[in-house]
Amino acid sequence: MAEIEVPPYFLCPITMEMMKDPVTVSTGITYDREAIERWVFSDNNTTCPLTKQPLIISIITPNLTLRRLIQSWCTLHASNGVQRLPTPKPTPTHPQLSKLLQDSSNTISTSQIKSLQRLRLIAAANQSNKRSLEAAGAAQILSSLIVAKSLHGHEDDDCCEEALAILYTLKLSESSLKTLTKNPQFFHSLTLLMQKGRSYESRAYAIMLLESMAELADPSQLINLRPQFFTELSQILRDQISPKASKAALTALINATPWGKNRIKAVESGAVSILIDLLLDSSDKRQCEMILTVLDHLCQCAEGRADLLSHAAGLAVVSKKILRVSQLASERAVRILHSISKFSATPAVVAEMLQVGVAAKLCLVLQVDCGSKSKERAVEMLRSNARAWRNASCMPNILISSYPC
C-alpha cells in the first residue's frame, strides 16, 4: 500500500489519508466522515477546514460517487495488498431514533432493554449519531426513565444502567445539560445511582454526569443539594473507582461547596479526612490543586477547620504542598493556613504550625515569586504569631532574616 501512489482526490484534506467514508459538507468540500466529525464535535470548530466558511452541521451528505471510485481503485490494486473499504453503516433516520426512544421508555414493552442496547450501540458509533439522538429528545426521555426506575427502588435495573450509559456516551451539549439541571429529581436519581449502582461503571457514569451538570447549574439549584449528595461524593473519593471518577467528584465539590450550607454538608460527609488522605498519597499536579481548592472552601467554615486540625497530618500535608506543586496549589494552601491562623489559632494550634514547619514555609513564600495575595497572607500570619514563632529554636537561622518586622 505504501508503494502505491494514491490519487490526491481520494485523500481527506484534514488528515491527508485515503477516505473510507467520504461525505460532502455544506460548503461543497468532501472529507472523510470520521475526520470532519472529529473536527466539528471533538475540536469544537464551526468553520470548513479549507474554505473557512461557516458549516451547517446538519448538512453532511455521503459522496457515493467518490466512494464508488475509491472502491473501484481498491479492487484494481487488490493484488498489491489494497483492501476494499468496509461498507459504512447507514445513519439512522430521525423517525427510527424516535421509535427506538419511544420503545425504550415503554416499561410494559418486552423490547425495552433491546431498544436501549440498540441505542447504546448507535450512540457509540459516531458523533453524528450522538447529535441525532440528542435532537430526537434522548436526554429528556432517558433521564425520565432513570428517575422513574430510581423512585421505585430499581437503581440496579438493567434498563436503568443502559439509559445511564447512553446519557454518558452522548456527551450532551450545554443546552441539554442545563435542562437536566432544572430537574431536582434527576440530581437525586444520580445520587442514588452513585450509591446503589450495580457496577463501578454505573457509579462512575453517574458522578461524571453530575460533574457536568454541577458546572452549569445555577447557585439556586446547588443550594438545595441533599446531604446524601455529598456523602456519595465522599464515598466515590474513598473508593477510588477510577481517576476520571475521582476527578469528577472533586469538580462537583468545587462547584457545589461555595453555596449555602453545602460546606457543612460536605464536612459532615467526612470529606475533609478523605481529602487529606488523598493529598498525602497524590503526586498528580491537577489532583493536588483540586483537593486543595476543595479544602480551601471547606475551611471557610468552623466545622471544616476543626476536621482539618483533628487529622494528624492535616496542617503538615497542606504546608508541604506549598512551593512543591504549582503556584495555584501554593495559593490555595496558604489560604487554608490563613483561615486556620485567623479563626482557629489556639496556642496548641500555633505550636503545631511551628512544629510541622508552617512558619518556615511562610518565610520561604516571602522570598520567592508566589503571588502578591499569598505574600500578604504569609506576612499577616507571621506577624500575628511572631511572639511564638520568631525566636523559636526550630526556626532555621537562614530564614530568620526574612521574618517580617
Side-chain angles (χ1 to χ4, degrees):
M1 179 70 177
E3 299 175 355
I4 302 173
E5 184 177 353
V6 178
Y9 48 89
F10 288 177
L11 301 177
C12 174
I14 299 176
T15 64
M16 297 310 296
E17 296 178 355
M18 190 168 71
M19 289 183 277
K20 298 177 181 178
D21 186 7
V23 294
T24 302
V25 299
S26 58
T27 59
I29 307 298
T30 296
Y31 301 95
D32 185 66
R33 181 186 292 276
E34 182 180 350
I36 192 63
E37 287 183 350
R38 184 168 57 248
W39 169 267
V40 172
F41 298 116
S42 297
D43 299 339
N44 298 318
N45 294 300
T46 59
T47 58
C48 175
L50 283 186
T51 68
K52 307 304 179 184
Q53 295 176 333
L55 281 175
I56 302 175
I57 307 303
S58 59
I59 302 179
I60 298 181
T61 308
N63 191 328
L64 300 179
T65 300
L66 181 57
R67 177 175 173 78
R68 282 193 290 268
L69 287 173
I70 296 174
Q71 200 72 285
S72 298
W73 183 87
C74 291
T75 302
L76 183 65
H77 293 85
S79 60
N80 295 315
V82 178
Q83 297 181 348
R84 284 175 57 84
L85 301 180
T87 303
K89 295 180 180 179
T91 302
T93 64
H94 187 86
Q96 289 173 329
L97 294 177
S98 297
K99 178 64 166 59
L100 281 171
L101 286 168
Q102 182 181 355
D103 288 345
S104 71
S105 63
N106 184 358
T107 56
I108 301 177
S109 172
T110 55
S111 64
Q112 183 182 29
I113 186 64
K114 292 182 179 179
S115 298
L116 287 164
Q117 291 170 343
R118 173 66 179 145
L119 286 168
R120 187 174 182 179
L121 290 173
I122 290 172
N126 54 58
Q127 292 288 352
S128 288
N129 287 357
K130 290 180 174 65
R131 300 289 74 83
S132 297
L133 275 169
E134 184 174 353
Q140 291 75 23
I141 292 171
L142 295 174
S143 62
S144 296
L145 169 62
I146 291 172
V147 170
K149 291 286 185 182
S150 61
L151 289 179
H152 290 87
H154 299 150
E155 301 89 352
D156 60 348
D157 185 278
D158 285 339
C159 292
C160 194
E161 186 171 86
E162 288 293 335
L164 181 63
I166 297 167
L167 280 178
Y168 172 74
T169 303
L170 287 178
K171 305 298 181 187
L172 296 170
S173 64
E174 283 194 11
S175 58
S176 291
L177 286 170
K178 283 183 177 179
T179 300
L180 294 181
T181 63
K182 297 176 183 178
N183 183 356
Q185 287 186 320
F186 187 54
F187 258 107
H188 182 53
S189 295
L190 292 179
T191 301
L192 292 174
L193 284 164
M194 280 197 293
Q195 177 187 19
K196 300 179 181 179
R198 65 188 304 171
S199 66
Y200 281 142
E201 185 181 62
S202 292
R203 295 177 67 196
Y205 288 159
I207 179 54
M208 286 186 276
L209 269 174
L210 278 168
E211 171 200 15
S212 300
M213 292 167 62
E215 287 183 307
L216 298 172
D218 293 330
S220 60
Q221 296 163 331
L222 295 174
I223 285 173
N224 296 316
L225 290 172
R226 306 183 187 193
Q228 189 179 12
F229 172 80
F230 297 95
T231 299
E232 298 311 320
L233 289 182
S234 296
Q235 190 63 49
I236 291 285
L237 290 173
R238 181 183 286 112
D239 292 345
Q240 290 290 284
I241 294 174
S242 71
K244 281 188 176 181
S246 296
K247 176 182 175 294
L250 289 169
T251 303
L253 284 169
I254 289 170
N255 286 296
T257 47
W259 307 107
K261 296 183 178 180
N262 289 345
R263 293 187 185 94
I264 296 175
K265 296 174 188 175
V267 171
E268 291 175 346
S269 74
V272 173
S273 177
I274 294 169
L275 291 168
I276 293 171
D277 289 341
L278 286 178
L279 197 58
L280 282 166
D281 297 330
S282 179
S283 58
D284 179 79
K285 171 186 171 182
R286 182 56 183 150
Q287 186 180 54
C288 287
E289 291 174 344
M290 297 176 78
I291 292 171
L292 288 166
T293 299
V294 180
L295 285 173
D296 177 29
H297 291 173
L298 300 185
C299 283
Q300 302 305 308
C301 68
E303 293 84 353
R305 295 190 295 273
D307 269 18
L308 185 137
L309 291 171
S310 68
H311 194 293
L315 285 173
V317 71
V318 171
S319 175
K320 183 179 179 180
K321 296 301 178 182
I322 297 175
L323 305 180
R324 288 196 176 187
V325 180
S326 67
Q327 181 165 328
L328 176 61
S330 295
E331 290 173 356
R332 295 293 183 266
V334 170
R335 281 172 57 95
I336 293 167
L337 296 174
H338 184 260
S339 295
I340 297 293
S341 176
K342 187 173 182 178
F343 300 108
S344 305
T346 65
V349 169
V350 172
E352 183 182 354
M353 293 174 82
L354 177 66
Q355 183 180 5
V356 300
V358 170
K361 189 60 73 77
L362 293 176
C363 286
L364 283 173
V365 168
L366 300 183
Q367 297 179 358
V368 300
D369 183 14
C370 197
S372 59
K373 284 292 185 182
S374 293
K375 288 180 181 290
E376 289 175 11
R377 292 188 176 97
V379 167
E380 182 181 337
M381 284 185 275
L382 288 166
R383 283 177 175 169
S384 62
N385 298 300
R387 181 174 298 179
W389 292 352
R390 185 180 180 89
N391 298 314
S393 58
C394 58
M395 274 289 288
N397 291 330
I398 195 171
L399 296 177
I400 293 295
S401 61
S402 62
Y403 206 99
C405 298

